[in-house]
Amino acid sequence: MVADGESGDLESIVSTVLDQDEYSAAFEEAIECPVGDLLILDRVYLAKPWRGFGLGPVLAAEAIRRLSGGCCAVAAEPGMAEWPDNRDEVTDEYRAVAKQKIGALWESVGFLPFQDGVQLLDTSMQEPLDLLDRRRAELMELSAAYQKYHRGESQAGTAATAPAPSAAQGAVVSAPESVQHIPSVPGLLREQAALLTAQTSLTDLEKDCAGSGWSPSERATALNVAAHATHLTDLRELSVQVSDLHFGLRDAWAAALTFPGRFVDLGPFREDPRLLGPLADVFVYGTNLTGRLQGRSHSLGGDCRHSRHLGRQTERMTLAELVTNGPFWEWNGPSCSFCCGWSGQRLTAAQYAYYATVLSSNPR
């Protein structure tokens, strides 16, 4: 009755998954652990200029990931959220096709058919997280293609040289597209690029695998999981897929996707966090970044003898949060003096180019 008072769509979903005031037997059979709340995806609305790019599923999946804490499942009933200008076009066949297309979109982020047109997403399963990573990667590819096209239109195919950032103004510098095009960069930085950039992640992991005794199946698993990582991926969630691999391979996997904090110079950014620009959202990981635990915070993998494997218990924050986290940098804070206490998620080419440009403009 409560759902019906809200909308007919909600009533349809609720009556399908509930039996009186409990989950139905069919629901409990379909969901791995049917204990907790139910999140309902009612409708997703995109302004017309944004439609046709595949944004609906990835944005819905991002919202679900943030709102589904404590929920055992997410329910949705694919259907038309709005009508075309000419309602005479809306035949039963038209509605059936529209419903089928929308259902396919939700399946692309982990929903599965349940009963009476209702779809369910099991929040305890790994597949929705894997699918979200793929949708994120597709979104980044779309974004990169648009930016490249836009640069070509505005610059007539001529690459612009980024101006030096001003510490006083906190200017954001537009970085060159690739590491090879960084102007006036000290030689050491070019060597660091191989350690800091995501474009070398798979190569580094392949080298570690080639000279190891790890089984071919485990190596294939690690490489496959690493291939799905982007700079937006939460590596703690991705680590679940490699948690059963040899401990050495797990460390090599983490090392291929991250870099130890001691490899970078955060001095200019700690002095003026406004200089972070595109680096502000880079994710960093450590064992005790917030200082809530006793002892020091350490980086990931084998860079520090006190380090731990990357997993769900690992702490994560953005680089902007770390730079301004005063207690972390204090003499008696949680930062390890050897490994600097954190590892960063490897940088995109544009992020690294920006980092190198800032350092070359702020010699220390």
Side-chain angles (χ1 to χ4, degrees):
M1 292 174 61
V2 174
D4 191 34
E6 188 70 27
S7 78
D9 293 337
L10 289 181
E11 189 280 331
S12 177
I13 294 174
V14 171
S15 63
T16 301
V17 301
L18 294 185
D19 183 2
Q20 298 301 323
D21 58 349
E22 302 288 342
Y23 289 132
S24 68
F27 178 90
E28 293 184 345
E29 183 178 350
I31 300 301
E32 185 72 20
C33 183
V35 178
D37 293 334
L38 176 72
L39 179 65
I40 296 180
L41 176 65
D42 187 10
R43 64 186 60 198
V44 174
Y45 178 84
L46 287 174
K48 288 185 177 180
W50 293 101
R51 298 176 189 175
F53 300 103
L55 298 178
V58 66
L59 296 180
E62 294 286 8
I64 287 170
R65 181 172 174 273
R66 285 158 176 76
L67 297 174
S68 60
C71 297
C72 64
V74 187
E77 184 176 15
M80 293 173 55
E82 60 183 298
W83 297 76
D85 295 334
N86 183 5
R87 290 205 172 201
D88 293 337
E89 297 177 358
V90 184
T91 62
D92 290 342
E93 182 180 1
Y94 181 97
R95 296 183 64 178
V97 171
K99 185 173 182 178
Q100 183 179 18
K101 290 182 178 179
I102 296 172
L105 290 178
W106 297 153
E107 288 181 14
S108 74
V109 292
F111 282 90
L112 296 174
F114 176 54
Q115 288 182 348
D116 300 329
V118 173
Q119 294 179 323
L120 294 178
L121 181 150
D122 191 333
T123 58
S124 68
M125 305 301 286
Q126 179 65 31
E127 184 179 16
L129 298 176
D130 295 340
L131 291 172
L132 174 56
D133 287 338
R134 296 177 196 173
R135 302 293 84 80
R136 284 172 170 171
E138 292 169 358
L139 179 60
M140 293 307 300
E141 291 175 1
L142 176 65
S143 176
Y146 171 76
Q147 291 178 33
K148 184 176 181 180
Y149 169 79
H150 185 67
R151 283 195 299 270
E153 287 288 300
S154 61
Q155 301 173 14
T158 302
T161 302
S166 167
Q169 299 175 353
V172 175
V173 179
S174 297
E177 186 174 358
S178 68
V179 175
Q180 286 73 24
H181 296 151
I182 302 173
S184 304
V185 178
L188 180 60
L189 291 180
R190 292 191 180 278
E191 297 177 5
Q192 286 181 326
L195 300 173
L196 304 184
T197 54
Q199 64 189 16
T200 60
S201 293
L202 285 178
T203 302
D204 290 348
L205 185 55
E206 287 172 350
K207 290 179 180 177
D208 287 336
C209 288
S212 73
W214 302 317
S215 70
S217 61
E218 287 195 331
R219 285 182 286 176
T221 298
L223 288 167
N224 181 60
V225 175
H228 287 86
T230 72
H231 70 288
L232 296 176
T233 304
D234 187 338
L235 298 182
R236 298 173 301 177
E237 296 177 353
L238 210 59
S239 69
V240 174
Q241 299 180 54
V242 298
S243 60
D244 294 331
L245 302 184
H246 185 278
F247 67 88
L249 180 53
R250 277 183 286 160
D251 282 347
W253 178 85
L257 298 178
T258 63
F259 59 85
R262 63 187 179 89
F263 286 177
V264 299
D265 180 6
L266 292 184
F269 308 105
R270 289 187 59 200
E271 293 172 4
D272 187 355
R274 295 174 300 173
L275 283 177
L276 281 169
L279 300 176
D281 294 328
V282 172
F283 289 118
V284 300
Y285 301 81
T287 59
N288 189 24
L289 298 175
T290 56
R292 291 179 294 183
L293 306 174
Q294 290 186 348
R296 302 294 183 184
S297 179
H298 302 285
S299 61
L300 305 177
D303 189 60
C304 177
R305 65 189 183 92
H306 300 292
S307 64
R308 299 290 185 271
H309 296 303
L310 175 64
R312 292 190 183 278
Q313 76 285 353
T314 305
E315 294 187 6
R316 183 182 80 153
M317 61 176 60
T318 64
L319 191 57
E321 292 171 328
L322 182 71
V323 165
T324 56
N325 184 7
F328 180 86
W329 301 99
E330 293 174 0
W331 177 255
N332 292 319
S335 174
C336 170
S337 59
F338 176 75
C339 68
C340 292
W342 61 279
S343 294
Q345 201 151 337
R346 288 206 180 187
L347 309 177
T348 64
Q351 287 172 335
Y352 178 80
Y354 178 85
Y355 165 72
T357 303
V358 172
L359 257 62
S360 63
S361 302
N362 293 267
R364 297 171 63 84

